[in-house]
Amino acid sequence: MWSLDHTMMRVEDLDASLDWYQTYFDYEEKGRWEADTFTNVFLGPEDVHDDGALLELTYNHDGRSYTMGDAWGHIAVRCDDVYEAYDELMDAGVEDYRDPDSCGGSYAFVTDPDGHEIEIVERDHGAKWSLDHTMIRVEDAEQAIGWYTRKLDYDLFRREEFDDFALYFLKPEDAPEEAMSVELTYNYDGRSYELGDAWGHLAVRTDDLHSAWETLMGRHAEDYRDPESCDDRYAFTKDPDAREIELVTN
C-alpha cells in the first residue's frame, strides 16, 4: 500500500514527447486514456518491474502552454554506467545539458522537449531507464518528512547532508529496490518555491481506494478531491507544499 505508481507531467506536443521518450529511452506505451479535453499516456520500459513506476504524460487539447516553476526538480532514470549512458544519448541526438563530469562523475542530466529535467543515475537494479526517483523541493524538511512517514507510512532510507542543502529519500519500508522513491530536497536558505503547472502530481497505489482515503482522512490529510468527486476511480490529497498526491488502485 502507498507505493509510488507514476509521476505525471504535462506536455505541449504529445507526438513530439512520445517520440522523444520512445526513441531515446525505448519506452513503450503501457496505457492511454482519451477524454474529450485531454489525453493521458502512460510510459515505461518494456521490462519494468511489477512494482516499478511509470511516467504519465498529460496533453490538454486546448493548446495551452505551461510554466515550469521550481517546486518540482526532476525524475531520475537508471543505467549501469552514467558515462556510457550519456554518450549513448548524445550520439542518438539528445541535447547536451549536464554531462557526468559537470556532476562529479556520479550522475548527469538531460531535458525532454518541454524542459523537464531528467537525471541519469547508476544503479545495479531495475530495468535500464526505469524510474528511480522523483525529486521535489520542500520548504520545511521536518514537516515534509513527517507527512510522508505518517500519512503514507514511508521509510526514510537514505539522507545526504551538505553545506547548503540536504536530500532525503523515502518510500514504503517493504518496497523492492526497483520501486520508485521520492527525493525531498531542502535548501537551507529558507527560499520559497513556485509549483508552476508543467508538473502535475505524484500517484500512490492502493488496493482499496475508499479504505485508503478513509485512512488518510483519519490521519488528517487534506480533503482535496475525494473518490466520489472523481467518479470513484481515483482521489487526490496534497502534501504540505501543496503538491498534489493522487490515489489510484492497482
Side-chain angles (χ1 to χ4, degrees), residues 48-53 78 125-127 130-132 171 175-180:
V48 65
H49 191 273
D50 288 343
D51 290 309
R78 302 179 178 114
H125 56 267
S130 60
L131 290 173
D132 183 77
K171 63 182 176 180
E177 286 185 319
E178 294 87 353
M180 185 175 74

Side-chain angles (χ1 to χ4, degrees), residues 46-99:
E46 179 182 3
D47 53 349
V48 65
H49 191 273
D50 288 343
D51 290 309
L54 300 179
L55 177 65
E56 176 189 356
L57 303 182
T58 290
Y59 171 68
N60 288 294
H61 301 166
D62 56 8
R64 73 185 73 173
S65 296
Y66 304 102
T67 57
M68 192 62 64
D70 57 2
W72 292 82
H74 58 257
I75 57 171
V77 297
R78 302 179 178 114
C79 71
D80 293 327
D81 185 291
V82 67
Y83 281 92
E84 290 181 3
Y86 199 80
D87 287 345
E88 175 186 328
L89 292 174
M90 295 303 100
D91 290 344
V94 175
E95 184 177 349
D96 186 8
Y97 183 54
R98 294 179 61 190
D99 64 18

Side-chain angles (χ1 to χ4, degrees), residues 35-180:
D36 291 338
T37 59
F38 64 89
T39 301
N40 296 336
V41 181
F42 295 86
L43 300 169
E46 179 182 3
D47 53 349
V48 65
H49 191 273
D50 288 343
D51 290 309
L54 300 179
L55 177 65
E56 176 189 356
L57 303 182
T58 290
Y59 171 68
N60 288 294
H61 301 166
D62 56 8
R64 73 185 73 173
S65 296
Y66 304 102
T67 57
M68 192 62 64
D70 57 2
W72 292 82
H74 58 257
I75 57 171
V77 297
R78 302 179 178 114
C79 71
D80 293 327
D81 185 291
V82 67
Y83 281 92
E84 290 181 3
Y86 199 80
D87 287 345
E88 175 186 328
L89 292 174
M90 295 303 100
D91 290 344
V94 175
E95 184 177 349
D96 186 8
Y97 183 54
R98 294 179 61 190
D99 64 18
D101 286 337
S102 71
C103 300
S106 49
Y107 54 91
F109 281 88
V110 295
T111 59
D112 74 3
D114 291 271
H116 300 100
E117 292 191 359
I118 302 166
E119 183 182 16
I120 303 165
V121 295
E122 289 186 4
R123 295 288 186 264
D124 60 3
H125 56 267
K128 184 178 181 181
W129 307 130
S130 60
L131 290 173
D132 183 77
H133 64 266
T134 295
M135 187 275 266
I136 55 180
R137 299 184 178 94
V138 300
E139 297 184 10
D140 184 324
E142 286 74 17
Q143 182 184 41
I145 292 169
W147 193 92
Y148 281 93
T149 56
R150 182 167 188 272
K151 303 295 191 292
L152 301 182
D153 295 322
Y154 277 17
D155 178 50
L156 177 60
F157 69 92
R158 176 182 160 200
R159 63 186 295 165
E160 299 180 24
E161 303 279 352
F162 300 94
D163 291 339
D164 52 0
F165 68 96
L167 308 176
Y168 306 96
F169 293 82
L170 302 99
K171 63 182 176 180
E173 184 178 4
D174 58 352
E177 286 185 319
E178 294 87 353
M180 185 175 74

